[in-house]
Amino acid sequence: MRLEYFEMIDTVTLFDAAQQRIVCRATVPDASPVFEGHFPGHPLVPGVLLTETMAQASGYLVLGLNRLSQMPFLMAVDKARFRTFVEPGAVLVIEAALTVEGSGYAATKASITADGKPVCDAELRFRLMPFPAELGALMRQRTAAIGLVPEAVTS
Amino acid sequence: MSSTFETVAGIISETCDIPREKITPASHAIDDLGIDSLAFLDIAFAVDKAFGIKLPLEQWTQEVNEGKAPAEQYFVLENLCARIDGLVAAKTA
């Protein structure tokens, strides 16, 4: 994870097109400017960044399923629950499953665990739009960097 | 159509915080009710779930943007409800 750059996902460990499911992994850095404010002397990953982490895993799932044909933008977060604290150095497992494939939108259920224990979960929705200029190439680069290569996936 | 309309009107009222009494079968979702495209996706999500269908929003939007269909055809609620009924019927046929 590079919190300051919003690079929340380190690797994709499973992409299952048939089950419309993804599992990712991310290690919280030991140090980050984020922890200087949240909170001084008591570093915790903010819930909003855990939400972003679930959103990115979901987003990569959608990108994998649509083979990077449309960009998912987060449009709704429902039923978000934060069940425990996440400290520097934690290893997170992020799972997301597609629940609805609509026309122009997609919905997922996502969760994060650490050491097998639930950290947080939420239902997320994304607006699907054509890639803005240059973002397509960037996302292609980023998905390859984390090990998600939709071209190689057979559904 | 009347029960479809009641369901859709309830969804719109709840999703967009519009008083239920302002929503009529003749209401234009965009022009009369001020629903924007993002809010309409919220409505589509709830409609898809309620009726077990997939509103072809992208196709409709494309047709309207390309001038192949008037927006009223899809976004006046009585017309929208008729299309929902058609999709439900097609699903169960």
Side-chain angles (χ1 to χ4, degrees), chain B residues 17-50:
Chain B
D17 203 16
I18 296 171
R20 171 63 187 82
E21 62 273 15
K22 285 193 176 174
I23 304 169
T24 71
S27 299
H28 190 301
I30 301 161
D31 297 344
D32 298 331
L33 302 178
I35 297 169
D36 63 23
S37 59
L38 192 60
F40 208 88
L41 281 180
D42 269 334
I43 293 166
F45 173 66
V47 166
D48 286 356
K49 203 157 63 169

Side-chain angles (χ1 to χ4, degrees), chain B residues 27-84:
Chain B
S27 299
H28 190 301
I30 301 161
D31 297 344
D32 298 331
L33 302 178
I35 297 169
D36 63 23
S37 59
L38 192 60
F40 208 88
L41 281 180
D42 269 334
I43 293 166
F45 173 66
V47 166
D48 286 356
K49 203 157 63 169
F51 292 94
I53 57 172
K54 180 174 173 175
L55 285 182
L57 262 192
E58 289 179 303
Q59 181 196 324
W60 292 356
T61 306
Q62 189 177 350
E63 286 176 14
V64 170
N65 288 344
E66 292 175 355
K68 293 179 180 168
E72 297 76 27
Q73 186 171 305
Y74 302 123
F75 298 111
V76 168
L77 295 193
E78 60 190 349
N79 297 338
L80 175 65
C81 290
R83 288 180 185 279
I84 290 170

Side-chain angles (χ1 to χ4, degrees), chain A residues 6 71 75 98 102 146:
Chain A
F6 269 56
M71 180 70 187
M75 64 171 276
L98 191 78
I146 62 170

Side-chain angles (χ1 to χ4, degrees), chain A residues 1-125:
Chain A
M1 282 178 135
R2 296 209 302 162
L3 300 181
E4 320 75 272
Y5 292 93
F6 269 56
E7 291 180 3
M8 315 309 281
I9 303 297
D10 293 339
T11 53
V12 173
T13 54
L14 173 77
F15 174 77
D16 187 333
Q19 296 293 318
Q20 300 181 316
R21 178 172 168 263
I22 197 169
V23 181
C24 307
R25 188 180 164 100
T27 301
V28 179
D30 290 327
S32 164
V34 168
F35 298 137
E36 292 171 20
H38 195 281
F39 298 95
H42 189 71
L44 295 173
V45 178
V48 69
L49 293 185
L50 294 172
T51 304
E52 175 66 18
T53 304
M54 292 189 285
Q56 289 193 12
S58 298
Y60 288 128
L61 171 65
V62 173
L63 285 170
L65 292 172
N66 74 20
R67 293 168 192 266
L68 286 100
S69 62
Q70 287 180 302
M71 180 70 187
F73 290 98
L74 183 63
M75 64 171 276
V77 178
D78 291 330
K79 299 181 184 172
R81 295 291 182 274
F82 303 93
R83 303 179 188 283
T84 191
F85 297 130
V86 177
E87 298 177 351
V91 177
L92 306 179
V93 174
I94 310 103
E95 295 193 39
L98 191 78
T99 54
V100 181
E101 185 183 10
S103 176
Y105 76 89
T108 68
K109 272 189 182 177
S111 64
I112 298 178
T113 57
D115 289 329
K117 294 173 187 159
V119 168
C120 59
D121 43 86
E123 296 178 10
L124 308 171
R125 257 179 294 144

